[in-house]
Amino acid sequence: MKNIIAIASAKGGVGKSTICCHLAKAFTSQHKKVILIETNAGLRGLDIFLGVKDVVYDLGDVLKQNCSLKEAILNVKYNENLFLLAAPFSFDIMLSGKAMFKLCNSLKELFDIIIIDVRTDPVFSFEIKNIVDIFLIVVTLDAVCVRDTALFSNMLSSKGNCKPTLRLIINKLKKNIKKTSPFKNLDDIIDETNLQLIGVLPFSKDMQYKTQHGKNLNAKSVLYKIFTAISKRIEGKNLDIII
Ligand SMILES: Nc1ncnc2c1ncn2[C@@H]1O[C@H](COP(=O)(O)OP(=O)(O)O)[C@@H](O)[C@H]1O
Ligand SMILES: [Mg+2]
């Protein structure tokens, strides 16, 4: 079982926070106690995605010792297994790799799964690689994103002794891939990034709407099933990839 999951990417706007939110919910529906950590400074977003209205304390308060870690853990309404540590509201408190290490060590005692919404920052991603069990690297189908993902995953796996497990999530897949992307098929992207695929998510206006309104995906929807399958693959189950 992989307990500390990092959702990372080479480029911004690829869907990391969206994936964090729905993957966390998939784990909670299997009765796992999950905490999400947002690592941006000043660019909070998961509170909206999870429908958390009142952020009293955030990670900035923990780092400045304005409150205890437990006081900053936010409950998510209607989901007793889901919790959030919100990003600092101000831009001047950046969570370091070292602080992340301390944080995860404390949280490991309290939660089954820690999901880190990794800010788009290769240096920070590299700094946390020793504490993370699995990196889910999110890519979309544009040429620059795919090339940058290859460089990013190379950097994560090459330097140092620790080689974390890296897996690829292809996001925002549109029906006719050749019309919107320079790639002919998904195999081209997998070859170029040299990463093992763990999930493919279609472009979905419904998910966009639901996420921004803090709502859950419909349990009968394809996306719900895809997130459930990704959560099970992370647990080591061998399931076919739904595309
Ligand atoms: N599969 C998807 N289909 C459609 N829109 C998506 C999908 N995944 C993410 N988005 C949208 O892309 C934008 C960026 O997503 P976000 O999760 O904030 O990315 P990141 O955290 O990587 O910056 C948001 O508007 C979000 O709703
Ligand atoms: Mg984000």
Side-chain angles (χ1 to χ4, degrees):
M1 179 60 202
K2 313 278 189 195
N3 302 98
I4 305 186
I5 302 163
I7 318 274
S9 69
K11 279 191 80 187
V14 294
K16 291 181 297 297
S17 302
T18 304
I19 292 170
C20 279
C21 162
H22 297 294
L23 184 64
K25 287 180 177 177
F27 277 116
T28 62
S29 51
Q30 295 155 55
H31 311 292
K32 298 268 171 24
K33 199 174 168 191
V34 182
I35 184 147
L36 280 159
I37 310 176
E38 244 184 339
T39 59
N40 273 325
L43 300 167
R44 196 181 280 171
L46 282 176
D47 55 332
I48 293 180
F49 288 6
L50 298 172
V52 175
K53 293 270 183 320
D54 302 310
V55 178
V56 183
Y57 292 119
D58 59 38
L59 262 174
D61 294 307
V62 178
L63 296 176
K64 284 196 279 185
Q65 298 183 331
N66 290 342
C67 70
S68 68
L69 175 58
K70 280 193 182 166
E71 283 173 311
I73 296 173
L74 302 162
N75 296 303
V76 174
K77 232 179 172 179
Y78 311 122
N79 190 333
E80 57 180 20
N81 285 321
L82 189 51
F83 300 84
L84 170 67
L85 270 172
F89 203 60
S90 91
F91 282 95
D92 58 5
I93 307 156
M94 201 52 98
L95 193 69
S96 67
K98 221 169 154 187
M100 209 51 216
F101 182 78
K102 245 178 102 182
L103 199 61
C104 287
N105 266 340
S106 308
L107 293 171
K108 261 198 243 175
E109 313 290 320
L110 306 170
F111 297 92
D112 299 316
I113 293 175
I114 300 170
I115 299 183
I116 307 168
D117 187 353
V118 183
R119 63 176 182 259
T120 314
D121 173 353
V123 175
F124 178 68
S125 304
F126 187 76
E127 278 174 4
I128 63 167
K129 75 171 193 163
N130 291 343
I131 49 168
V132 167
D133 293 313
I134 182 167
F135 270 93
L136 305 182
I137 300 178
V138 185
V139 71
T140 54
L141 284 87
D142 68 277
V144 176
C145 192
V146 172
R147 186 187 59 190
D148 289 355
T149 301
L151 295 169
F152 178 63
S153 67
N154 230 357
M155 181 275 292
L156 279 181
S157 57
S158 62
K159 283 198 237 161
N161 304 326
C162 171
K163 292 203 189 328
T165 304
L166 308 179
R167 293 288 180 269
L168 184 69
I169 294 185
I170 297 176
N171 191 24
K172 305 194 193 186
L173 178 66
K174 290 194 173 151
K175 277 209 176 87
N176 196 339
I177 174 169
K178 281 183 238 162
K179 275 195 181 162
T180 50
S181 158
F183 300 96
K184 285 198 282 310
N185 52 48
L186 297 187
D187 285 340
D188 284 357
I189 296 169
I190 295 165
D191 288 349
E192 176 122 2
T193 58
N194 203 17
L195 286 167
Q196 192 176 324
L197 188 66
I198 197 163
V200 180
L201 302 164
F203 185 91
S204 160
K205 284 189 178 159
D206 179 60
M207 181 162 73
Q208 240 173 21
Y209 179 88
K210 293 231 163 80
T211 311
Q212 284 173 50
H213 288 81
K215 294 191 169 157
N216 295 340
L217 297 170
N218 185 318
K220 289 193 177 129
S221 69
V222 174
L223 271 154
Y224 184 94
K225 288 178 187 152
I226 294 175
F227 280 110
T228 306
I230 294 174
S231 70
K232 293 198 167 153
R233 269 182 226 115
I234 293 170
E235 290 182 305
K237 303 211 170 82
N238 205 351
L239 298 172
D240 287 343
I241 300 222
I242 318 165
I243 296 179

